[in-house]
Amino acid sequence: MKKWIKNFFLIASGGMILSFAGFYIWSQITYKPAEELFYTTNLLDQNDKNGYLLFQPENQKTNNGIILYPGAKVDPRAYAYLAEQLTQKGFTVLIPKMPFNLAIAGISKADKIINDRDEIENWYIGGHSLGGSAASIYAFEHQENIKGLFLLAAYPADSSDFSNTHFPILTIYAEHDGLTTLDEIKETKHLLSDNTFYYKINGGNHAQFGIYGEQKGDNKAQINVFVQQDQVIREINSWIERIE
């Protein structure tokens, strides 16, 4: 009997190790930044030695910071164009690298960023897809320190119910999104505050909230990726100007 139990635990342990190894390998197969990003941004100058990518305005001090949580299995560098264009609006933008490339596994990543950048007085947080849901959890738990939440093809986690608050939220969604559908956006409106702004990108899709090419399960966009990106940049900037 004892031998049977020992064999059982050996088999179970081996199964768990194999399962984790499979999950880890899966998590490392990411959506890489598209080639055009290396020609349109200073991406080659970026590194994540502090655990995040840092984009700052040139020759300009700013007290406004934006934290962007990447979508599931999306390389943080895929949001470089979005980040660099926002720095031209006067924001410092930081994009953390997530454990297993899943923002839901690194919800508290914003803590280190905020502690590192004590010159920033006003913090805004958001994310793309699953990154937006993770950012909503952080924002909900830190409403005293976060000025607003933006959701890109995303909606709040069930535990982040802002409906009884006046917390500033921006939700941007796309007409042809095959992964965060319009129905899902509508079904989760009850979790948003009465201070939520909505913006629909006509012709846009899910993957073009970053620049990393096509994504499995998504629909084909009817507009150029930079057209979609520029709309996102404009709306985030306008929204922050309204709520400041």
Side-chain angles (χ1 to χ4, degrees), residues 66-232:
I66 293 176
I67 301 171
L68 173 62
Y69 280 7
K73 297 180 64 180
V74 179
D75 190 311
R77 298 175 298 169
Y79 304 95
Y81 178 81
L82 190 68
E84 284 197 358
Q85 293 300 308
L86 285 169
T87 65
Q88 294 184 22
K89 306 291 185 183
F91 301 102
T92 293
V93 183
L94 306 102
I95 310 174
K97 181 176 175 59
M98 292 297 181
F100 307 110
N101 294 299
L102 297 171
I104 205 69
I107 293 170
S108 63
K109 281 283 186 173
D111 286 340
K112 173 175 171 49
I113 290 173
I114 292 172
N115 289 335
D116 283 354
R117 316 302 303 186
D118 55 9
E119 77 278 10
I120 302 295
E121 297 177 7
N122 303 311
W123 284 106
Y124 306 87
I125 192 171
H128 174 213
S129 194
L130 186 63
S133 296
S136 76
I137 296 173
Y138 188 89
F140 186 77
E141 295 176 351
H142 299 83
Q143 294 180 51
E144 70 282 1
N145 297 323
I146 301 296
K147 298 292 185 180
L149 166 71
F150 61 93
L151 302 169
L152 309 180
Y155 45 82
D158 289 339
S159 61
S160 308
D161 187 348
F162 292 91
S163 60
N164 292 321
T165 76
H166 193 63
F167 192 75
I169 300 173
L170 170 67
T171 178
I172 305 178
Y173 54 100
E175 180 182 13
H176 299 297
D177 193 325
L179 297 172
T180 302
T181 66
L182 300 182
D183 285 342
E184 289 174 317
I185 296 292
K186 292 176 182 177
E187 289 169 3
T188 53
K189 276 190 174 182
H190 67 281
L191 296 171
L192 300 173
S193 72
D194 61 2
N195 190 17
T196 299
F197 293 87
Y198 302 88
Y199 184 79
K200 177 182 177 182
I201 299 180
N202 292 317
N205 71 355
H206 191 86
Q208 290 190 167
F209 281 97
I211 303 181
Y212 52 88
E214 296 181 358
Q215 187 166 357
K216 185 178 180 180
D218 200 9
N219 297 317
K220 187 174 179 60
Q222 301 301 313
I223 58 174
N224 178 273
V225 63
F226 290 103
V227 172
Q228 180 163 338
Q229 291 271 303
D230 288 341
Q231 289 186 52
V232 173

Side-chain angles (χ1 to χ4, degrees), residues 9-20:
F9 280 109
L10 285 172
I11 292 170
S13 298
M16 290 177 63
I17 292 170
L18 287 174
S19 295
F20 178 79

